[in-house]
Amino acid sequence: MTTPRVRSIRTARGRGAPALPARRVRAVRTAGGLSVRLDVRAFTVTVLLLVAAAAASVVLIGTGDFPIPAGDVLKTLAGDGNPSQEFIVNDLRLPRVLVGLLVGASLGLAGALFQSVSRNPLGSPDVLGLGQGATAGALIMIVLFSGSATEVALGALAGGLLTGLAIYLLAWKRGVHGYRLVLVGIGVSAIATAVNGYLLTKADLVDAARAVVWMTGSLNGRDWAQVWPLLIMCAVLVPLVLGNARGLRMMEMGDDVSYALGVSVERTRLLLMVAAVLLTAGATAAAGPVGFVALTAPQLARRLTRSPGPNLVPSMCMGATLLIVADWASQRAFGADQLPVGVVTGVLGGVYLLWLLVTERKAGRI
């Protein structure tokens, strides 16, 4: 058996290139001719984010009115807990944590896809109006039909899909380009927000209160009924997206260059946009419109990895970590008042955007 050869490559800044630090890249070649390019820093960041997400999940599972030490949480997950711990961990808290991880990963991946396709850091589901469209679908089920939780989730999914289709068709003009996509998305977002406000004015008090709680974004009361659809969706869409990662990376250099390199640009763009819309709509259906995760997770991941390209896997891990940490903060950082996780992510995202604007202004880029 032939041992794979590992070649270390150190990329440096060429003349006239932006001032980026040198990155260490490993190229692994097997005897069968398969070559894999491994960015050491990006791989390290991804592993650390996975460890952080796992550690935060264990802490969150042990947090509550009946606290459980981390060691007992791990033993219970391994099947060695007592009956009361197994009920609390496996039936009450574990589904909520899994929904948080899957929703955060879905939003992080969707944000990375939209920002890469549009080649714009503002090209996220929050700005493009997909969250507002999914909210409109959920409000229609709540206000007009007094739907159950399952019907509300289906309404949110349908609303997100229809909004994504409308944005794509309105932005189409011999292809879909970044700035047109963002501008159309902002317009559709404004329309959906107005529709949501109108629906709230027509709701009675009970339905309006239920709708406002859902619109905030929360993981309260999530169980295995939300876990399995999200898990199946991610199991199908994540490999599909990663399989087209090379084409997405080429598309960031422009359509003409991508065509020259053999990428089917419109097919790849449509496929990835459909996947991003499904990820956003599915996450919104499960937890409500959790704001700013899709916007900030890809940018934070790119700043940590310092790697060009869409950074799909780091963005997924960053989104999952952000949402789990925000859920812990929503339960513990405000004393007896437990906030919906969407409030915490909104505050953190707003602070990040202000910091980003100040940094960009000092650098003279805006």
Side-chain angles (χ1 to χ4, degrees), residues 10 72 86 94 132 156 164 169 188 194 197 230 264-265 333 340 354-355:
R10 193 174 281 273
D72 291 341
E86 289 183 354
L94 180 59
Q132 289 81 355
L169 293 177
V188 172
L230 272 176
S264 179
V265 175
L354 290 175
W355 173 82

Side-chain angles (χ1 to χ4, degrees), residues 12-34:
R13 179 170 59 99
R15 181 175 299 177
L20 293 175
R23 297 185 298 108
R24 190 177 182 185
V25 178
R26 290 185 181 273
V28 181
R29 289 190 174 90
T30 65
L34 177 64

Side-chain angles (χ1 to χ4, degrees), residues 348-366:
L348 295 177
V351 171
Y352 171 77
L353 277 181
L354 290 175
W355 173 82
L356 182 62
L357 290 173
V358 171
T359 302
E360 293 291 309
R361 183 176 181 183
K362 287 182 178 179
R365 289 188 284 267
I366 60 174

Side-chain angles (χ1 to χ4, degrees), residues 17-365:
L20 293 175
R23 297 185 298 108
R24 190 177 182 185
V25 178
R26 290 185 181 273
V28 181
R29 289 190 174 90
T30 65
L34 177 64
S35 178
V36 179
R37 177 181 176 275
L38 178 65
D39 189 320
V40 177
R41 182 184 178 94
F43 178 78
T44 304
V45 169
T46 301
V47 172
L48 292 177
L49 286 173
L50 285 173
V51 172
S57 299
V58 171
V59 172
L60 184 58
I61 290 174
T63 300
D65 295 333
F66 187 83
I68 303 176
D72 291 341
V73 171
L74 293 175
K75 287 194 298 184
T76 303
L77 291 175
D80 295 331
N82 58 50
S84 61
Q85 289 176 340
E86 289 183 354
F87 172 74
I88 293 172
V89 171
N90 296 328
D91 295 339
L92 298 181
R93 297 179 183 173
L94 180 59
R96 174 185 178 131
V97 171
L98 291 177
V99 170
L101 289 172
L102 292 170
V103 168
S106 299
L107 292 177
L109 181 57
L113 288 173
F114 275 119
Q115 290 177 18
S116 183
V117 168
S118 64
R119 299 199 290 274
N120 191 318
L122 293 178
S124 76
D126 305 295
V127 177
L128 296 180
L130 293 175
Q132 289 81 355
T135 301
L139 289 183
I140 289 173
M141 299 305 299
I142 293 174
V143 175
L144 300 183
F145 301 102
S146 298
S148 63
T150 302
E151 292 170 340
V152 171
L154 292 175
L157 185 62
L161 293 176
L162 290 175
T163 303
L165 177 62
I167 293 172
Y168 185 84
L169 293 177
L170 291 173
W172 173 270
K173 185 179 180 181
R174 294 190 298 274
V176 176
H177 301 283
Y179 284 105
R180 190 185 304 130
L181 182 69
V182 173
L183 291 175
V184 170
I186 292 174
V188 172
S189 176
I191 295 173
T193 301
V195 172
N196 295 339
Y198 172 77
L199 289 171
L200 284 177
T201 62
K202 293 298 182 181
D204 57 38
L205 184 60
V206 175
D207 288 339
R210 180 186 174 196
V212 169
V213 170
W214 190 92
M215 290 172 61
T216 306
S218 176
L219 296 176
N220 292 334
R222 298 306 182 263
D223 55 24
W224 291 104
Q226 284 83 37
V227 173
W228 297 117
L230 272 176
L231 187 60
I232 294 172
M233 180 189 71
C234 290
V236 173
L237 294 179
V238 171
L240 178 66
V241 170
L242 296 181
N244 288 272
R246 180 184 176 276
L248 181 63
R249 188 183 182 92
M250 297 298 104
M251 286 165 54
E252 289 192 340
M253 296 187 294
D255 289 358
D256 293 337
V257 175
S258 301
Y259 279 121
L261 294 173
V263 178
S264 179
V265 175
E266 286 306 324
R267 176 185 172 277
T268 302
R269 181 182 288 128
L270 177 60
L271 180 66
L272 293 177
M273 285 186 63
V274 169
V277 170
L278 286 172
L279 288 167
T280 304
T284 305
V290 180
F292 283 105
V293 174
L295 179 65
T296 58
Q299 297 184 33
L300 290 175
R302 181 172 292 192
R303 287 176 178 272
L304 288 176
T305 62
R306 299 180 186 175
S307 175
N311 286 278
L312 299 178
V313 176
S315 297
M316 288 177 56
C317 299
M318 177 61 74
T321 304
L322 282 178
L323 196 55
I324 288 298
V325 172
D327 192 32
W328 177 87
S330 70
Q331 295 186 51
R332 288 301 167 203
F334 298 94
D337 298 325
Q338 293 189 10
L339 298 178
V341 68
V343 174
V344 179
T345 59
V347 172
L348 295 177
V351 171
Y352 171 77
L353 277 181
L354 290 175
W355 173 82
L356 182 62
L357 290 173
V358 171
T359 302
E360 293 291 309
R361 183 176 181 183
K362 287 182 178 179
R365 289 188 284 267

